[in-house]
Amino acid sequence: MTFSIAARCPRTGQLGVAALTARPAVGKLVAHVEHTGGAVATQATVNPFLAYDGLKMLGEGRSPQDVVTELLSQDPGREVRQVGMVDRQGRAHAFTGSRTSDWAGHHTGPGYAVQGNRLVGPETLAEIVRAFEDSRELDLAERLVLAIEAGEESGGDRHGARSATVTVTSDQPYPLWDVRVDDAGHPARELRRLHGVFREEVLPTIQRMPTRADPMGESARQALG
C-alpha cells in the first residue's frame, strides 16, 4: 500500500527516507534512518526487524545486499515483504516478495532504492526516480519531497493516499528533518506545506542544538550570553 525512497546525498552524506501510503501514519513503521548505519524502508506486509536489525548490521560495515539477503533468509514471511536499503557509502539494495500486491516492484541506483506495491504500474517508480535524479543540486529533504510529489502525480497508490513522511539525518543521532502527515486527503500536498513550516520554524532550532563536537550548542551559548 506504499511507495517509498531510501537515499543518501553524496554532497552532504545525509541519509533519508520518504514514503506515501493509503493508510494512516506511514512514518511510524515504514521509514527508518540511523546516521551511523543507513536508511531503510520496510513495507508491504511490514517486518520492522528488517529495519531495526538491518541498520545495526549496516553500521557494522556490511553491504545492503548482504544484510537484506541474510535477514530475509530468516523471515518465513519474506514473499509478502518489500524493503529498500541504502548505507553510508551510498550502496543500495531492494527486494520485492513474489506475493506482494500488484503492481509491485523496485528500482535501485547510485545512492537510492525506490520501491512500491499496489501501484497503478511501474510508471510511479519511474517518476520517483526521474524527480530524484533530476534534482541533484538540491538538499536531500527537498529531493525526497519532490520524489513523493512525482509519485503521487503519476497515479501512485491505486487505492488513493492518506499519509506521507520525510525523515533525514545528518551527522548527529537526532534527525535533521522529521516531517509527518498522518491522515490527510492530499498527503503529498500537506507534506509540501509542512516541509515549508519545518524549514522556517524547526530546522533553525535543530541546527543550533548541541552536537557531539559542541555539547553546549549555539542556542544555549546565546542564552547564556
Side-chain angles (χ1 to χ4, degrees):
M1 306 176 185
T2 304
F3 62 80
S4 66
I5 175 170
R8 176 185 180 273
C9 173
R11 277 190 303 107
T12 64
Q14 293 175 3
L15 294 152
V17 174
L20 181 143
T21 191
R23 289 186 175 180
V26 67
K28 181 173 179 59
L29 293 176
V30 169
H32 303 264
V33 188
E34 168 56 55
H35 78 295
T36 60
V40 180
T42 172
Q43 57 193 58
T45 304
V46 171
N47 178 355
F49 293 106
L50 295 175
Y52 294 127
D53 295 342
L55 288 169
K56 180 180 178 181
M57 294 163 72
L58 290 176
E60 295 167 352
R62 300 184 59 179
S63 73
Q65 183 171 355
D66 288 346
V67 171
V68 170
T69 298
E70 179 172 331
L71 291 178
L72 289 174
S73 72
Q74 302 166 7
D75 183 355
R78 56 187 169 272
E79 295 308 325
V80 292
R81 311 292 190 209
Q82 193 169 46
V83 61
M85 192 175 291
V86 177
D87 70 4
R88 289 177 296 166
Q89 300 176 49
R91 296 178 294 183
H93 189 68
F95 170 85
T96 300
S98 63
R99 295 183 63 183
T100 51
S101 299
D102 284 338
W103 186 88
H106 58 264
H107 181 90
T108 60
Y112 66 84
V114 176
Q115 41 284 321
N117 63 84
R118 207 177 71 175
L119 303 179
V120 294
E123 60 268 28
T124 296
L125 299 192
E127 282 300 296
I128 294 170
V129 168
R130 179 198 59 74
F132 188 74
E133 290 187 337
D134 288 351
S135 57
R136 292 182 180 91
E137 75 284 1
L138 301 177
D139 290 339
L140 183 59
E142 173 67 20
R143 297 178 71 190
L144 293 175
V145 173
L146 287 170
I148 292 301
E149 290 173 327
E152 187 176 48
E153 288 170 5
S154 75
D157 190 313
R158 60 186 173 85
H159 283 232
R162 194 167 172 188
S163 67
T165 189
V166 169
T167 181
V168 172
T169 65
S170 185
D171 57 352
Q172 300 300 316
Y174 50 80
L176 183 65
W177 292 81
D178 188 357
V179 185
R180 302 187 184 192
V181 178
D182 285 335
D183 185 14
H186 299 282
R189 187 184 307 168
E190 181 66 2
L191 186 69
R192 168 59 68 185
R193 186 187 72 81
L194 291 177
H195 171 270
V197 172
F198 195 101
R199 183 186 62 241
E200 297 299 321
E201 301 185 29
V202 183
L203 185 61
T205 298
I206 293 173
Q207 292 172 327
R208 294 194 300 268
M209 288 168 57
T211 67
R212 295 299 189 196
D214 179 12
M216 177 176 286
E218 188 59 30
S219 291
R221 187 172 295 110
Q222 291 178 0
L224 293 171

